[in-house]
Amino acid sequence: MIPMNERARLLTGLAPSRTADPAPADLAARTGTRLERELADLRAPLDLSGTPDTRPHEGHDMPGMVGLDTLRKAEKAKGEQFERILTDGLRAHLARTGKLCASERTSGGSEEAKALAATIAGSAVRELDRLTATNRP
């Protein structure tokens, strides 16, 4: 989840300079704040356990992850084109987040990790519902 959230955060961080429409800018800001909070929550157990951050997925594009190609396209896009990239990227990220959290909740060994997965999954569902309700492209 850490590399997925980091990539999604890069995408949301582009919004202020890529769109003039307040709705996608607000979506990106709200989502970016949530991603930052989740990153802190995800890193905390690693820090407590002394587990090194070896970044095993560095440079990989996993399912649901905002890809490096997507980020490059987003950096060049503005307006509706950027908004489409943003919303498509966030939809894929949120859907995959739900699946990963469901897997952790079913198969995880740590009650703390299962609880964190439940919290993150709930946030992802709410954010996906908001994204769908706005009827963004």
Side-chain angles (χ1 to χ4, degrees):
M1 287 294 307
I2 291 172
M4 283 186 54
N5 277 21
E6 288 173 338
R7 289 272 189 87
R9 184 63 188 102
L10 291 173
L11 180 60
T12 61
L14 293 172
S17 65
R18 312 312 296 154
T19 184
D21 185 341
D26 290 345
L27 167 72
R30 185 181 59 248
T31 303
T33 298
R34 183 186 52 76
L35 290 167
E36 288 293 331
R37 189 173 51 251
E38 286 177 10
L39 281 165
D41 291 343
L42 289 163
R43 288 183 178 119
L46 294 176
D47 294 343
L48 283 174
S49 69
T51 302
D53 184 3
T54 59
R55 302 214 161 263
H57 301 294
E58 189 73 34
H60 297 177
D61 286 341
M62 299 177 286
M65 177 183 256
V66 173
L68 296 174
D69 259 3
T70 299
L71 285 172
R72 282 191 283 278
K73 289 176 187 172
E75 289 170 346
K76 295 175 184 172
K78 284 196 177 247
E80 288 184 20
Q81 184 183 16
F82 173 80
E83 292 162 18
R84 166 80 57 192
I85 294 168
L86 174 70
T87 56
D88 288 351
L90 291 179
R91 273 192 189 97
H93 170 80
L94 293 166
R96 187 61 175 181
T97 294
K99 289 178 183 178
L100 290 172
C101 288
S103 177
E104 180 64 31
R105 291 172 69 195
T106 301
S107 304
S110 161
E111 291 306 315
E112 292 84 3
K114 289 179 181 183
L116 179 56
T119 299
I120 292 172
S123 293
V125 166
R126 287 187 298 278
E127 199 69 27
L128 193 53
D129 287 347
R130 280 189 209 112
L131 182 60
T132 302
T134 62
N135 293 320
R136 297 307 304 172

